[in-house]
Amino acid sequence: MQQAAVFSWSTLKSDCTLPAQHQTADRLSTSVMSVSATDADDPMTENAYLSYSIIGQESIPANAVTKTMFGINNETGTIYTRDVGLDREVVKSFRLKLQVGDMGGMGLTSEAVAFIHVSDINNHAPQFSPASYSMTAVENLGRIENMDYEIGRVNVTDGDDRGTGNWEAKYFIANDPEGNFAISTDPATNEGILTVVKGLDYEAQHEYILILTVENDNFLSTKAPNLPASSATVAVTVLNENEAPHFREDPIQIVVPESVVPGTLLKSNIAFDPDNSDLRYEISRDPERWLNINRETGDISARRTFNMRSLNVKNNIYNAVVKVTDAGGLSTTATVAITLKETNDFPPQLFPLSGTVCRDEGHRSSVLVVTAVDEDFPPHAAPFTFEMPDELSINWTVIQVNNTHAVLQPVVELEAGEYVVTVFVSDSGSPVLSAYAQVNVTVCLCDSFGDCKSEARAILGSSVGINFIALIIIMASIALLLLLLLLAVAVTTCGRRHHIKKGTGLLVGESEDDIRDNVFNYDEQGGGEEDENAFNIDLLWNPHDAPSTPGSYYPGSGVPRGKQPLRKDAPHNLPSPIYPRRPPADPTDIEDYINDGLEAADNDPNVPPYDTALIYDFEGEGSLAGSLSSIASGSSDGDQDYDYLNDWGPRFQKLANMYDPR
């Protein structure tokens, strides 16, 4: 039984993609795809002899192409192009209706459908639309939060398939050598995004003219029209903004010697303002107050000499902060890094300035090790040089041990005692600074520990011990003789005092003795030599030595017990004036008597510096003086008038109060 041929596809349709314009006018019959069919009849008979044909063609979109574009080999089933003119932008695909028949196409037949899709090739170059643009950019705005600052977009057109590499555009800036701008592609719209990468400076350049070019991601096909590459012009106008002033360097580097003279200019022209406005300068941090700055010009100068030993100097660098503000109130700060160079400011100082040199029994001497201290830092300190002036180096010499130490030692045999040795020490600075130092050296006999022996041991252990002891004895004898002489003079002076007989009155005429000492003489002990209970006030007294303990003074005198005031208005140990020897017999002459004694006491250089003639003091028990009532024993107290005592001055005020009848 004869059977019909059947296409071997699983369905009665097939897909094939054909590149657009793959077939050209000089290359027809380009194979597109192949189809095949099977027949169950005996292949050795006509019943299995197959023939292929295309019985229908439809374009998508419909009627986009009306001519027959494809043919098929009736024996092999190969589909090929019959004509040129495939264009993806015109037709997207074709639907072919196929037929196969046995017996060479004359027998039984079967049908199938084949779909041929036209693929895109890059046969259209992108074109700018429009070809010129105008944009604005604010100065100093560059990358914002890690994103470029967008100032505008440009557009292109491309006839190739949208969303493919043949359509996607790549943009380029042809004239931006400083790299101030950048351009990228928006993948959704294919637009070019123009951005500012570096901040623009209005004062430097007001406007930029950029030339843009574009191309596809894919290479342009050789079948594309031969047209010039598209380009566009973008005019970017820079908008002026108030900018903060700028320092020319940060940190501001200054290198200066530490001993710079105050007022020295250290740095100038440190900042500028892009808007050319007036600037104001100030120092916002200067812990040592070493700097001055001119508020108008910004010139930095030294206010005073620097000190490298300051705690604010780290690694020889002192940091300060200056601030500059423009007319619009915008300010900027910068660090001032001052590198201090060490200068030789201090001469070396010898150390120690005293010491001991031991001399043993064999007259061999030890040495005194000395060094130097310099407040300067290297290279203006060690090594030190130790020398001894020629005119002062008779008995001593100095020997350099190393860069920092030397030894002093005598060059001749020296007796034990104190010696002053002058040493001249110099540093290695530039310029070299030197200083003289006097070292007090004690030369002595030393014990086994290197310490000086005691004086007695040293004397006994020396050859001059006997002579030294004899000298000590002679000096002690002279001192003892002087002491005995002073005691003899003192005893002689005390022996000249007069005594008052016991049982006599103070002012009455019966007494033959000199009783003035009980009234006027200030170096008397109590009531006379017979008064053993009196108090000695012979010692000198300074008012600053007055005791603060109550009761430590003689009553009514203000004089501390055991202290004798010393007059300060006359020399001491001069002859005393002549005092009245006897009181008047008539009590009415008592005023003249007392005034004479008062005048003598006032002129006496050996009495205390008081205005009163007497020190009213406790005279002990059993005073030899009689009662004051004996002055006028011939009358009773009631008949006696004592008002005249008020006329004798403050010295007798207490006595007047005692006899005041009121």
Side-chain angles (χ1 to χ4, degrees):
M1 179 179 179
Q2 183 180 2
Q3 297 184 15
V6 179
F7 282 99
S8 60
W9 299 337
S10 60
T11 60
L12 293 180
K13 64 181 179 179
S14 178
D15 292 325
C16 177
T17 300
L18 180 65
Q21 293 189 354
H22 182 70
Q23 181 181 4
T24 62
D26 56 347
R27 291 188 59 190
L28 300 177
S29 301
T30 300
S31 176
V32 176
M33 61 181 298
S34 294
V35 297
S36 63
T38 60
D39 194 317
D41 293 323
D42 186 1
M44 302 303 295
T45 64
E46 289 290 328
N47 296 331
Y49 177 65
L50 304 179
S51 178
Y52 301 92
S53 61
I54 299 175
I55 60 176
Q57 172 186 297
E58 296 179 5
S59 64
I60 301 172
N63 301 320
V65 176
T66 57
K67 59 183 178 178
T68 301
M69 295 297 298
F70 301 96
I72 189 171
N73 187 309
N74 61 349
E75 293 183 356
T76 62
T78 299
I79 301 175
Y80 56 89
T81 58
R82 291 183 58 182
D83 204 345
V84 296
L86 292 177
D87 190 349
R88 168 72 181 181
E89 286 70 35
V90 176
V91 60
K92 300 295 186 285
S93 60
F94 291 89
R95 181 177 179 273
L96 302 179
K97 187 176 181 181
L98 306 179
Q99 177 179 284
V100 61
D102 56 10
M103 297 184 70
M106 302 301 294
L108 300 176
T109 63
S110 294
E111 293 181 358
V113 175
F115 287 91
I116 299 175
H117 301 285
V118 180
S119 62
D120 187 36
I121 63 172
N122 191 11
N123 62 329
H124 296 89
Q127 300 293 318
F128 281 102
S129 178
S132 62
Y133 300 86
S134 295
M135 302 179 185
T136 59
V138 179
E139 69 170 332
N140 299 318
L141 290 181
R143 295 180 63 85
I144 304 175
E145 296 181 356
N146 296 325
M147 297 181 61
D148 293 344
Y149 165 46
E150 179 180 339
I151 60 174
R153 298 191 174 201
V154 295
N155 298 314
V156 294
T157 59
D158 195 314
D160 293 314
D161 195 7
R162 187 181 184 88
T164 65
N166 299 329
W167 173 80
E168 294 175 353
K170 293 192 302 183
Y171 297 90
F172 302 94
I173 302 175
N175 58 338
D176 183 23
E178 296 181 358
N180 295 321
F181 301 91
I183 190 168
S184 59
T185 303
D186 186 338
T189 63
N190 215 26
E191 294 175 320
I193 305 172
L194 188 61
T195 58
V196 176
V197 177
K198 299 179 181 179
L200 305 179
D201 187 358
Y202 173 82
E203 287 71 26
Q205 188 170 347
H206 298 350
E207 186 179 41
Y208 294 84
I209 304 297
L210 303 180
I211 305 299
L212 306 183
T213 60
V214 63
E215 64 182 29
N216 293 126
D217 276 349
N218 295 336
F219 291 108
L220 189 64
S221 173
T222 57
K223 306 302 181 183
N226 188 15
L227 299 175
S230 180
S231 63
T233 301
V234 179
V236 180
T237 301
V238 182
L239 301 180
N240 188 26
E241 288 286 322
N242 184 25
E243 304 172 68
H246 299 284
F247 283 96
R248 300 188 185 279
E249 59 176 342
D250 187 9
I252 301 171
Q253 299 289 345
I254 298 176
V255 179
V256 65
E258 63 168 335
S259 58
V260 63
V261 178
T264 301
L265 179 63
L266 304 180
K267 198 77 171 182
S268 61
N269 192 23
I270 61 175
F272 67 94
D273 185 65
D275 302 310
N276 298 318
S277 65
D278 294 332
L279 300 178
R280 300 190 311 275
Y281 298 87
E282 61 180 296
I283 297 177
S284 59
R285 182 179 181 275
D286 181 14
E288 295 291 346
R289 301 178 63 81
W290 285 345
L291 304 176
N292 277 330
I293 191 168
N294 188 298
R295 292 183 59 85
E296 286 74 29
T297 64
D299 292 343
I300 301 175
S301 59
R303 184 174 185 176
R304 54 178 179 165
T305 302
F306 300 154
N307 181 11
M308 292 188 65
R309 279 144 287 278
S310 169
L311 295 178
N312 293 297
V313 176
K314 307 296 183 182
N315 298 323
N316 296 348
I317 297 177
Y318 175 73
N319 289 321
V321 177
V322 295
K323 179 181 179 181
V324 58
T325 306
D326 65 9
L330 296 179
S331 62
T332 307
T333 59
T335 299
V336 180
I338 303 177
T339 301
L340 299 179
K341 296 171 60 179
E342 175 75 12
T343 57
N344 199 12
D345 302 316
F346 302 95
Q349 301 297 321
L350 198 70
F351 178 82
L353 295 178
S354 63
T356 301
V357 172
C358 293
R359 183 174 63 85
D360 61 15
E361 304 297 342
H363 305 294
R364 291 177 300 175
S365 300
S366 62
V367 297
L368 176 62
V369 179
V370 295
T371 184
V373 178
D374 198 322
E375 296 186 36
D376 293 310
F377 293 145
H380 300 290
F384 301 112
T385 302
F386 302 88
E387 299 176 287
M388 186 170 292
D390 294 337
E391 66 275 8
L392 301 176
S393 60
I394 300 175
N395 298 326
W396 294 84
T397 185
V398 60
I399 301 175
Q400 188 99 19
V401 176
N402 53 31
N403 289 338
T404 57
H405 290 76
V407 294
L408 290 177
Q409 68 178 27
V411 295
V412 298
E413 179 182 341
L414 297 177
E415 298 292 339
E418 300 286 339
Y419 296 88
V420 177
V421 182
T422 302
V423 178
F424 186 71
V425 57
S426 305
D427 60 21
S428 297
S430 178
V432 175
L433 293 183
S434 306
Y436 286 94
Q438 290 185 332
V439 184
N440 297 316
V441 183
T442 301
V443 178
C444 63
L445 294 175
C446 298
D447 55 22
S448 59
F449 300 100
D451 299 325
C452 288
K453 296 180 180 179
S454 63
E455 183 177 350
R457 292 174 58 193
I459 293 174
L460 293 176
S462 65
S463 61
V464 295
I466 298 177
N467 295 334
F468 187 82
I469 293 175
L471 179 62
I472 293 297
I473 294 174
I474 294 173
M475 293 179 64
S477 300
I478 295 174
L480 181 60
L481 291 175
L482 291 176
L483 179 60
L484 293 176
L485 180 61
L486 291 176
L487 289 176
V489 173
V491 171
T492 303
T493 303
C494 293
R496 295 176 182 176
R497 296 178 179 175
H498 299 279
H499 308 286
I500 301 175
K501 291 183 179 181
K502 188 176 181 180
T504 60
L506 179 62
L507 298 173
V508 294
E510 289 80 0
S511 175
E512 295 294 332
D513 297 326
D514 183 9
I515 62 173
R516 65 176 178 82
D517 290 342
N518 279 347
V519 178
F520 298 106
N521 196 350
Y522 289 84
D523 59 353
E524 187 66 51
Q525 297 185 2
E529 293 180 358
E530 297 179 7
D531 186 2
E532 297 178 355
N533 295 323
F535 294 85
N536 188 347
I537 58 174
D538 287 338
L539 300 177
L540 298 180
W541 175 71
N542 190 327
H544 298 289
D545 298 331
S548 59
T549 306
S552 300
Y553 297 84
Y554 292 106
S557 66
V559 181
R561 296 184 185 276
K563 296 289 185 178
Q564 169 66 26
L566 181 65
R567 288 193 64 151
K568 300 179 180 178
D569 56 346
H572 310 303
N573 299 324
L574 296 178
S576 300
I578 300 175
Y579 286 82
R581 304 302 296 176
R582 297 175 59 85
D586 188 354
T588 58
D589 297 331
I590 188 65
E591 180 177 359
D592 295 333
Y593 175 82
I594 294 175
N595 288 333
D596 293 339
L598 176 62
E599 181 179 0
D602 287 340
N603 296 320
D604 193 342
N606 299 312
V607 299
Y610 289 97
D611 292 337
T612 59
L614 296 175
I615 296 175
Y616 298 97
D617 200 356
F618 176 64
E619 296 182 349
E621 298 179 357
S623 174
L624 298 178
S627 173
L628 291 177
S629 62
S630 62
I631 299 175
S633 59
S635 62
S636 65
D637 293 340
D639 298 335
Q640 182 67 38
D641 184 7
Y642 297 101
D643 290 342
Y644 59 85
L645 295 176
N646 293 318
D647 300 332
W648 292 357
R651 299 180 180 86
F652 296 91
Q653 188 62 45
K654 188 173 183 179
L655 184 63
N657 292 338
M658 294 175 60
Y659 289 89
D660 190 350
R662 295 171 295 181

